[in-house]
């Protein structure tokens, strides 16, 4: 790099990724450099070397002593400056993703690369991979959404390359309260805002290069789709699985709709924070309880996370016990002929029942409340019914209730016991009444102590040390204090299990009860007082109010256009305002009728969409039976853990009904379910200050008053052990916490911004590299920069260095040489690892394997085409845009989407070294570690320098060598030299 002195300017030369210690300082003629970004310059020396130069010195000065702009800078005109700005942007990028990604996204769309034909070759294996399809909110995607989508896309691309027919669709769960509430707030029709949101989501997903079959796109708001949702409802109605009932519901007067329990938090609506009350309303219900046992039993065979299966088991809540009858007594202690049915899982404790508790909504309550207690009971009912079920059953909350003024008879001993009303008993569970056994139930015990109700112990622990004074014993044991000559029941001395059986036998013989299996699972409340939902295909005859299902030929029943979506204020749904739509005639009898004005819940459309993706354009049936038999069940279903219970449970219920009527061929819809973790925002650091403005360490903040928090920027923070502290004062420990992304916290990362700066492939790769798919992870901008640099290294390894303006030459640096054994071993170990990790959805470790390959490949002098092509195919599921471009530059004219995925050759996976025994004149003198394919000469030279063997070989004449590769080396020495050597 000879250079002449020009204007006394000296430059530090930086070749891309050259270490600081290797950067020479040289003098460069001014004609060989041009200004670059951030005060640097660019220089070209020789034909191929492209260097960046920093630390320019020696600029000439003006007459006043100020530094004058360089002659080169002064000569630039406006056009050249624009070109320079463009070049700067190119040089900032590790590789030209801004050109590659739009190019290949356009190619895929134009060529419909990922379209799954309607009629596939069913002799080939299938792979149906599905995302829980999104609700298209106005906020668009944030970087947490693509986590699961990227995982399913990797699986889809991988399976296509393995020769599978792949079904990988996308659609929109587009009905629901958020869109309707936005329409109310803005006066915009929900169809307009929903369609706009869908457009934005679709654009963002395409920007990330996901290989969806967009020809199969569906939306729950399209009549062609919800026609079949209505059809399923009619099938449920025919089989008695859909019915109307007066039930207590969460009613929000402001929103004008019924809310599900999960939509109510602390007595107010999750959306908007409006007050919610409990009130009885006539509602459509789905009888999911009829399928409770099957829903429970079939969980065992599913490849689902055990935590999800356990949540479903708990939600279904199967228990075995007894239903016992407690007669209600009048003021004189005589039976009134009315009985309270009580479900209990512990019939062995019946003698310990010292009071009954009714739920506030129990229908018998009004018939047994005394006149004296009537006012107090009604006030308590109104208070209790404002709470949701979760609040009422929370174990930590104080148990409160009110005495009804009535009494009942314990059937086991004939004693009179008081009847109380308390909200910790739910009207929806069991019979809405319990027998309270305060000696053996924690909630009953707390309640009894509060209201001074007698406590009678009837179970003695097997181990007396378990009996803690003053606390209820809730386990099994030996029954005591449980005998009555009046009723003829005596269970003293029996174990809990034996006693329970005897109580059930006695109850069935005497007519006081029976054995009962019960479930926590309640029937599905299926009506919403909303506009933006699927219309329910039922009419009511005007003269009789009889409900009549619409004939299937009348489907779809479409939503009418409404300008006013606001709540009516009367409890009537908004659809009641569409008078001309509501008033109709029965198509069969011609009688005057009115339509149902409640709509289906948002869950309805998402219960079965996986089936419609199999046959989305079918106008004659929900899904073609042949296609359903081929594609069912979904092989991998990926989504958030928040849907672990309700969505999955409702989908399983509908699927089983469709199985019973012959629409589907499998008992379960989803073979394997994966819950991806959430992506948290970047770590936020918080410090405490006292009233004087001085920092206080987080260690002592909990015991000090009058403190306020202050966010600390990352550059002022350092790590010390397991904690984070202030750089300027390491004694001040900080609070470091990553929160779930939300607009309110201001920590939402827009994927569009990330793609603009780093490219879609970098975002995809980083989200997979952050950690195991199922774990929660925190976002780190520095982390995505590292992955972006890795992709840049891949690009430079295969394409070569960019030119001075940041552009790349055509083609690659790959050569047609035969690969070495070591190169083949490196490649096939990478293939083996990447394949194994994709199949195990351990994508982060698969990326690590590819990084290791690239690190090794950089040490090679030449890069055989066969090795490079195989690596590009490995990379393609993760970084498809870059892989497609590299494949094209390697001389291929079509997409790699269906190229065979590389297979590892076991021959190259073995350890490349072996322990080779070395014999001298037939006697083993030691061993050496050699490559299993090393030559005889290489093995002999290693033996000569081995510390132990060299003493036998030094100065000796070798008469003969016997070598078996990988097995043994036998060196035969000349006897004369051996003899001399010994002297």
């Amino acid at each position: 790099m000879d250079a002449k002195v020009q204007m006394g300017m000296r430059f530090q030369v930086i070749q891309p990724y050259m270490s600081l210690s290797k950067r020479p300082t040289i003098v460069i003629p001014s004609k060989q450099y041009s200004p670059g970004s951030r005060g640097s310059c660019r220089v070209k020396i020789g034909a191929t070397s492209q260097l960046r130069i920093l630390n320019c010195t020696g600029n000439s000065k003006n007459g006043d002593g100020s530094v004058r702009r360089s002659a080169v800078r002064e000569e630039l005109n406006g056009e050249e400056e624009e070109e320079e700005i463009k070049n700067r942007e190119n040089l900032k990028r590790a590789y030209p993703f801004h050109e590659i990604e739009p190019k290949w996204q356009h190619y895929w769309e134009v060529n419909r690369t990922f379209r799954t034909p309607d009629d596939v070759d069913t002799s080939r294996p299938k792979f149906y991979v599905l995302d829980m399809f999104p609700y298209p909110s106005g906020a668009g995607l944030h970087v947490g959404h693509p986590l699961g989508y990227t995982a399913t896309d990797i699986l889809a691309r991988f399976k296509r390359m393995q020769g599978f027919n792949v079904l990988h669709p996308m659609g929109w769960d587009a009905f629901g309260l958020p869109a309707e509430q936005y329409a109310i707030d803005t006066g915009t029709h929900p169809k307009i805002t929903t369609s706009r949101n869908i457009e934005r989501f679709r654009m963002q997903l395409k920007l990330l290069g996901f290989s969806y079959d967009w020809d199969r796109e569906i939306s729950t708001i399209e009549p062609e789709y919800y026609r079949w949702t209505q059809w399923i409802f009619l099938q449920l109605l025919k089989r008695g699985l859909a019915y109307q009932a007066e039930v207590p519901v969460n009613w929000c007067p402001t929103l004008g709709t019924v809310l599900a329990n999960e939509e109510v938090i602390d007595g107010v609506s999750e959306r908007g924070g409006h007050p919610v009350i409990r009130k009885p309303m006539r509602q459509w219900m789905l009888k999911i309880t009829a399928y409770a046992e099957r829903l429970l039993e079939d969980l065992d065979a599913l490849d689902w996370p055990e935590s999800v299966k356990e949540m479903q088991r708990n939600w279904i809540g199967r228990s075995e016990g007894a239903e016992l009858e407690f007669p209600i007594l009048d003021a004189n202690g005589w039976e009134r002929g009315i009985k309270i049915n009580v479900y209990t899982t512990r019939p062995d404790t019946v003698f310990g029942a010292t009071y009954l508790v009714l739920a506030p909504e129990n229908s018998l309550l009004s018939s047994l409340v005394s006149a004296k207690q009537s006012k107090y009971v009604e006030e308590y009912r109104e208070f209790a019914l404002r709470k949701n079920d979760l609040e009422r059953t929370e174990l930590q909350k104080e148990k409160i209730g009110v005495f009804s003024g009535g009494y009942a008879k314990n059937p086991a001993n004939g004693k009179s016991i008081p009847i109380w009303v308390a909200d910790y008993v739910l009207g929806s569970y069991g019979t809405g009444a319990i027998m309270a056994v305060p000696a053996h139930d924690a909630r009953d015990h707390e309640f009894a102590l509060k209201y001074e109700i007698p406590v009678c112990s009837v179970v003695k622990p097997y181990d007396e040390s378990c009996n803690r004074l003053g606390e209820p014993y809730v386990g099994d044991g030996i029954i005591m204090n449980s005998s009555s000559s009046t009723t003829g029941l005596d269970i003293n001395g029996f174990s809990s299990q034996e006693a329970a059986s005897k109580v059930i036998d006695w109850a069935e013989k005497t007519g006081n009860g029976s054995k009962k299996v019960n479930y926590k699972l309640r029937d599905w409340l299926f009506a919403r007082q909303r506009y933006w939902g699927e219309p329910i295909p039922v009419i009511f005859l005007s003269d009789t109010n009889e409900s009549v299902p619409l004939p299937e030929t009348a489907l779809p029943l479409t939503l009418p256009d409404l300008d006013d979506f606001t709540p009516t204020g009367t409890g009537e749904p908004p659809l009641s305002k569409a008078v001309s739509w509501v008033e109709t005639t029965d198509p069969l009898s011609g009688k005057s009728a009115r339509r149902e004005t409640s709509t289906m819940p948002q869950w309805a459309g998402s219960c079965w969409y996986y089936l419609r993706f199999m046959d989305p354009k079918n106008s004659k049936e929900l899904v073609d039976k042949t296609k359903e038999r081929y594609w069912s069940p979904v092989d991998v279903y990926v989504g958030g853990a928040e849907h672990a219970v309700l969505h999955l449970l409702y989908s399983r219920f509908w699927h089983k009904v469709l199985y019973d009527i012959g629409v589907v061929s499998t008992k379960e819809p989803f073979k394997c379910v994966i819950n991806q973790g959430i992506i948290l925002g970047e770590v936020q650091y918080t410090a405490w200050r006292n009233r004087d403005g001085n920092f206080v360490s987080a260690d002592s903040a909990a015991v000090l008053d009058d403190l306020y928090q202050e966010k600390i920027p990352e550059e002022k923070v350092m790590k010390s052990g397991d904690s984070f502290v202030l750089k300027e004062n390491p004694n001040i420990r900080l609070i470091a916490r990553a929160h779930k992304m939300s607009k309110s916290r201001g920590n939402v990362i827009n994927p569009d911004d990330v793609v603009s700066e780093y490219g879609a492939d970098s975002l995809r790769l980083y989200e997979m590299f952050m950690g195991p798919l199922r774990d929660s992870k925190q976002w780190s901008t520095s982390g995505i920069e590292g992955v972006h640099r890795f992709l840049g290294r891949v690009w430079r390894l295969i394409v070569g260095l960019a030119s001075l303006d940041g552009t790349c030459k055509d083609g690659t640096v790959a050569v047609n040489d035969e690969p070495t054994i070591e190169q083949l071993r490196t490649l096939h170990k990478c293939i083996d690892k990447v394949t194994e990790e994709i199949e195990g959805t351990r994508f982060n470790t698969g990326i690590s394997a590819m990084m290791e390959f690239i690190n090794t490949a950089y040490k090679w002098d030449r890069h055989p085409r066969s090795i490079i092509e195989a690596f590009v195919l490995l990379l393609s599921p993760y970084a498809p845009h870059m892989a497609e471009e590299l494949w094209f530059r390697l001389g291929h004219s079509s997409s790699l989407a269906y190229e065979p995925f590389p297979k590892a050759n076991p021959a190259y996976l073995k350890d490349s070294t072996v322990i080779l025994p070395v014999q001298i004149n037939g006697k083993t003198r030691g061993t050496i570690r050699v490559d299993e394919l090393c030559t005889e000469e290489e093995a002999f030279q290693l033996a000569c320098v081995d510390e132990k063997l060299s003493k036998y070989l030094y100065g000796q004449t070798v008469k003969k060598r016997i070598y078996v590769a990988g097995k043994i080396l036998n060196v035969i020495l000349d006897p004369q030299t051996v003899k001399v050597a010994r002297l």
Side-chain angles (χ1 to χ4, degrees):
M1 292 187 185
D2 293 336
K4 297 179 181 178
V5 176
Q6 178 82 14
M7 297 171 59
M9 301 183 73
R10 299 181 65 80
F11 301 98
Q12 186 181 34
V13 180
I14 306 174
Q15 195 159 2
Y17 300 92
M18 179 186 290
S19 67
L20 287 170
S21 62
K22 295 181 179 179
R23 296 176 179 178
T25 299
I26 63 174
V27 180
I28 304 297
S30 61
K31 290 183 179 180
Q32 288 185 238
Y33 75 87
S34 62
S37 60
R38 299 182 181 177
S40 69
C41 302
R42 300 288 302 182
V43 63
K44 183 173 183 181
I45 301 177
T48 57
S49 299
Q50 299 157 16
L51 310 173
R52 183 161 63 91
I53 51 181
L54 296 175
N55 306 334
C56 303
T57 60
N59 285 315
S60 60
K61 295 184 178 181
N62 296 317
D64 61 359
S66 61
V67 177
R68 191 180 70 189
R69 294 181 71 192
S70 71
V72 174
R73 176 68 68 182
E74 289 174 347
E75 291 171 1
L76 286 174
N77 58 33
E79 185 176 321
E80 289 171 324
E81 291 207 13
E82 288 181 12
E83 184 65 25
E84 180 193 357
I85 292 171
K86 180 180 177 182
N87 290 343
R88 286 183 197 170
E89 292 301 314
N90 288 340
L91 293 169
K92 283 169 62 179
R93 301 183 176 101
Y95 66 98
F97 62 84
H98 60 297
E99 297 174 357
I100 294 169
E101 292 179 353
K103 168 185 173 181
W104 287 103
Q105 288 166 16
H106 177 73
Y107 175 93
W108 296 328
E109 185 157 358
V110 169
N111 291 278
R112 300 164 79 193
T113 303
F114 308 113
R115 179 177 177 270
T116 304
D118 291 331
D119 297 313
V120 298
D121 178 5
T122 56
S123 66
R124 295 171 60 189
K126 66 92 179 180
F127 185 71
Y128 185 2
V129 57
L130 183 65
D131 300 293
M132 291 185 185
F133 72 173
Y135 182 86
S137 69
L141 298 174
H142 62 65
V143 294
H145 293 108
L147 179 65
Y149 302 157
T150 303
T152 59
D153 196 58
I154 291 170
L155 291 171
R157 290 176 178 274
F158 173 65
K159 289 295 184 179
R160 283 192 199 97
M161 297 172 76
Q162 286 191 321
F164 285 72
N165 289 325
V166 172
L167 183 56
H168 186 38
M170 175 51 71
W172 317 104
D173 187 12
F175 275 129
L177 182 58
E180 181 163 339
Q181 194 59 39
Y182 184 82
I184 293 170
D185 295 340
T186 64
T188 308
H189 196 284
K191 186 171 184 178
I192 295 173
T193 56
T194 302
S195 298
R196 186 168 60 225
N197 295 343
I198 287 174
E199 287 290 336
R200 172 154 173 72
F201 266 62
R202 187 190 300 113
M203 179 275 293
Q204 288 184 297
L205 293 176
K206 288 185 176 181
L207 191 68
L208 292 168
F210 296 131
S211 61
Y212 295 123
D213 178 0
W214 288 106
D215 285 358
R216 293 176 181 260
E217 179 183 5
I218 60 176
S219 173
T220 57
I221 65 173
E222 297 301 327
E224 296 80 7
Y225 178 83
Y226 68 71
R227 165 191 179 179
W228 297 105
T229 309
Q230 293 170 337
W231 181 87
I232 294 173
F233 178 84
L234 292 179
Q235 310 317 305
L236 294 165
L237 193 59
K238 287 178 185 177
R239 287 154 182 79
L241 296 171
Y243 64 96
Q244 284 189 297
E246 189 92 357
V247 294
V249 297
N250 300 314
W251 172 253
C252 178
T254 306
L255 296 177
T257 189
V258 170
L259 299 176
N261 285 336
E262 62 273 11
E263 295 172 318
V264 182
I265 299 174
D266 297 328
V268 298
S269 63
E270 181 183 28
R271 185 173 182 84
H274 305 296
V276 175
I277 61 173
R278 296 279 286 180
K279 67 181 255 184
M281 291 183 68
R282 190 160 184 80
Q283 298 285 298
W284 283 102
M285 309 288 292
L286 297 188
K287 201 169 184 180
I288 190 173
T289 51
Y291 282 72
E293 195 65 35
R294 287 168 62 181
L295 289 168
L296 191 63
E297 287 179 356
D298 292 346
L299 279 171
D300 294 337
L302 296 176
D303 181 16
W304 289 19
E306 193 56 42
S307 59
V308 172
K309 293 200 284 188
E310 192 59 28
M311 280 191 282
Q312 291 215 357
R313 291 188 185 104
N314 292 335
W315 190 268
I316 296 168
R318 185 185 191 278
S319 61
E320 293 185 5
E323 198 168 276
L324 302 177
E325 295 181 348
F326 285 70
I328 297 175
L329 305 177
D330 61 19
N332 298 315
W334 297 98
E335 293 184 18
R336 293 175 49 189
I338 306 173
K339 296 181 179 181
I340 297 175
N341 289 327
V342 168
Y343 173 75
T344 177
T345 58
R346 294 292 303 271
D348 57 310
T349 64
V350 64
F351 282 91
T354 57
Y355 66 103
L356 297 183
V357 182
L358 268 62
E361 58 268 46
N362 192 297
S363 59
L364 286 176
L365 189 57
S366 59
S367 64
L368 57 85
V369 175
S370 68
K372 180 180 178 182
Q373 292 295 110
S374 178
K375 174 185 175 183
Y376 305 112
V377 170
E378 187 57 33
E379 288 176 352
Y380 178 76
R381 281 185 77 254
E382 292 181 4
F383 163 76
L385 293 178
R386 286 196 292 268
K387 302 178 184 180
N388 64 34
D389 291 355
L390 190 62
E391 294 173 297
R392 287 171 57 177
T393 56
E394 186 180 0
L395 293 177
Q396 287 74 27
K397 82 175 188 70
E398 182 185 8
K399 307 298 180 292
I400 57 174
V402 62
F403 176 46
S404 71
Y407 289 84
K409 183 175 76 174
N410 186 329
N413 55 21
K415 292 182 179 180
S416 173
I417 57 176
I419 303 171
W420 284 73
V421 185
D423 63 3
Y424 74 88
V425 176
L426 301 178
S428 59
Y429 178 69
T431 63
I434 66 164
M435 66 175 201
V437 185
H440 305 292
D441 182 274
R443 295 181 308 169
D444 297 344
H445 186 263
E446 179 186 340
F447 192 89
L449 292 183
K450 182 179 179 70
Y451 294 105
E452 299 181 350
I453 301 172
V455 177
C456 176
S457 181
V458 294
V459 181
K460 181 171 65 176
Y462 296 119
D463 182 356
E464 288 292 345
S465 65
C466 296
N467 204 357
R468 295 187 175 89
L469 188 64
E471 294 183 13
Y473 174 67
V474 298
D476 290 344
I478 301 300
I479 303 302
M480 61 183 182
N481 302 325
S482 298
S483 175
S484 171
S485 58
T486 304
T487 65
L489 180 60
D490 182 359
I491 53 175
N492 280 332
F494 288 100
S495 68
S496 292
Q497 290 185 346
E498 292 171 326
S501 295
K502 288 190 172 295
V503 170
I504 292 172
D505 290 342
W506 167 84
E508 290 179 337
K509 288 176 182 177
T510 59
N512 285 303
S514 61
K515 186 175 183 178
K516 182 77 173 180
V517 174
N518 201 41
Y519 301 90
K520 289 182 182 177
L521 180 67
R522 300 293 91 200
D523 281 347
W524 177 7
L525 179 62
F526 197 68
R528 296 292 185 270
Q529 285 64 52
R530 300 173 186 163
Y531 165 68
W532 195 234
E534 298 93 334
I536 295 175
V538 172
I539 60 174
F540 299 90
L541 300 181
S542 300
D543 54 353
T544 63
N545 206 34
E546 177 189 355
S547 63
V548 178
L550 287 180
E552 294 176 11
T553 54
L555 303 181
L557 172 61
T558 57
L559 272 178
D561 286 331
L562 271 184
D563 296 325
D564 180 9
F565 327 105
T566 57
T568 61
T570 64
E572 284 291 312
L575 270 180
S576 63
K577 298 177 182 180
V579 178
S580 61
W581 181 85
V582 173
E583 295 176 353
T584 186
T585 57
D586 178 8
L588 296 179
S589 67
K591 292 182 179 180
S592 174
R594 57 181 177 80
R595 299 191 191 280
E596 171 62 72
T597 53
S598 291
T599 53
M600 298 185 194
Q602 184 179 343
W603 298 103
S606 63
C607 277
W608 70 280
Y609 70 103
Y610 60 93
L611 292 171
R612 193 61 178 173
F613 279 136
M614 301 175 187
D615 194 14
K617 303 295 191 295
N618 195 330
S619 61
K620 296 181 179 179
E621 54 187 336
L622 185 148
V623 60
D624 177 79
K625 287 182 171 54
T626 302
K627 293 177 181 178
E628 185 279 328
R629 280 194 296 271
Y630 178 71
W631 287 114
S632 287
V634 175
D635 294 283
V636 176
Y637 191 34
V638 178
E642 65 272 18
H643 300 302
V645 177
L646 295 183
H647 164 61
L648 291 175
L649 197 64
Y650 292 156
S651 293
R652 295 179 63 221
F653 165 46
W654 276 31
H655 191 89
K656 290 181 182 300
V657 174
L658 294 174
Y659 175 78
D660 289 347
I661 64 177
V663 175
V664 298
S665 59
T666 62
K667 291 183 178 180
E668 289 286 338
F670 314 118
K671 181 179 179 182
C672 171
V673 167
I674 297 174
N675 295 134
Q676 84 271 15
I678 61 173
I679 293 183
L680 306 171
E682 293 198 80
V683 175
Q684 295 179 349
Y685 303 96
T686 307
W688 294 93
R689 286 187 187 269
N690 59 24
R691 66 179 66 182
D692 297 325
N694 297 320
F695 283 115
V696 176
S697 180
D699 299 298
S700 54
V703 296
L704 298 176
D705 296 326
D706 297 330
L707 300 179
Y708 63 92
Q709 291 184 339
E710 177 181 325
K711 288 185 179 179
I712 305 297
E714 187 176 5
E715 59 268 19
K716 294 186 178 182
V717 177
M718 69 178 187
K719 191 164 189 191
S720 176
D722 294 330
S723 303
F724 291 90
V725 298
L726 281 176
K727 282 183 180 178
E728 62 184 29
N729 185 355
N731 293 321
I732 302 299
R733 190 168 69 83
L734 307 176
I735 298 172
R737 185 172 299 159
H739 299 275
K740 185 176 180 180
M741 288 189 181
S742 67
K743 286 193 287 187
S744 61
R745 291 192 178 274
N747 64 348
V748 172
I749 306 293
N750 188 328
D752 300 9
D753 297 335
V754 178
V755 170
S756 176
E757 187 168 359
Y758 299 102
D761 284 344
S762 293
L763 176 58
R764 292 168 58 109
L765 209 66
Y766 175 57
E767 296 216 350
M768 295 297 96
F769 190 57
M770 292 170 76
L773 175 63
R774 296 160 177 80
D775 292 356
S776 294
K777 301 159 277 284
Q778 68 185 46
W779 180 267
S780 169
T781 300
S782 60
I784 194 169
E785 287 172 350
V787 167
H788 185 61
R789 287 194 298 271
F790 163 68
L791 288 176
R793 295 191 74 215
V794 173
W795 181 262
R796 290 190 302 278
L797 175 76
I798 299 173
V799 175
L801 294 173
S803 62
L804 289 175
D805 62 0
T807 60
C808 302
K809 66 179 182 180
D810 294 335
T812 67
V813 299
V815 295
N816 293 321
D817 295 1
E818 286 296 318
T820 66
I821 292 296
E822 197 52 46
Q823 287 173 329
L824 287 169
R825 284 200 178 107
T826 301
L827 171 67
H828 283 268
K829 285 182 179 179
C830 184
I831 293 172
D832 184 60
K833 184 67 173 177
V834 171
T835 302
E836 179 184 353
E837 301 307 79
I838 290 179
E839 289 175 338
T841 64
R842 296 179 293 271
F843 304 112
N844 55 322
T845 47
I847 295 170
S848 296
M850 289 188 284
M851 289 179 169
E852 291 173 10
F853 173 89
I854 290 298
N855 288 339
T856 302
Y858 258 93
K859 300 173 185 177
W860 300 340
D861 294 329
R862 300 173 73 79
H863 298 88
R865 180 178 299 277
S866 60
I867 299 289
I868 295 303
E869 287 189 345
F871 176 77
V872 169
L873 294 175
L874 286 183
L875 180 67
S876 64
Y878 290 88
H881 305 89
M882 173 183 278
E884 289 276 23
E885 180 65 18
L886 294 174
W887 190 250
F888 174 73
R889 287 168 172 264
L890 285 163
H892 302 278
S893 58
S894 59
S895 169
L896 53 64
Y898 295 92
E899 290 292 324
F901 198 80
K903 292 184 179 180
N905 186 335
Y908 299 118
L909 301 180
K910 299 176 182 177
D911 190 350
S912 60
T913 61
V914 295
I915 303 299
L916 185 74
V918 179
Q919 294 182 343
I920 309 295
N921 290 339
K923 186 173 183 179
T924 301
R925 296 295 188 180
T927 60
I928 55 175
R929 181 176 290 275
V930 300
D931 189 285
E932 62 181 355
L933 298 179
C934 79
T935 64
E936 177 184 322
E937 182 62 28
E938 290 171 337
F940 178 69
Q941 293 300 325
L942 287 171
C944 289
V945 298
D946 181 82
E947 183 178 357
K948 186 175 182 180
L949 296 170
S950 60
K951 63 182 180 182
Y952 296 103
L953 299 173
Y954 179 74
Q956 307 303 316
T957 300
V958 177
K959 184 177 180 181
K960 183 181 180 183
R961 294 192 306 231
I962 302 171
Y963 178 66
V964 180
K967 299 295 184 181
I968 196 168
L969 170 64
N970 187 6
V971 182
I972 308 298
L973 302 178
D974 187 321
Q976 294 182 352
T977 59
V978 172
K979 187 176 181 180
V980 171
R982 287 174 179 170
L983 295 175

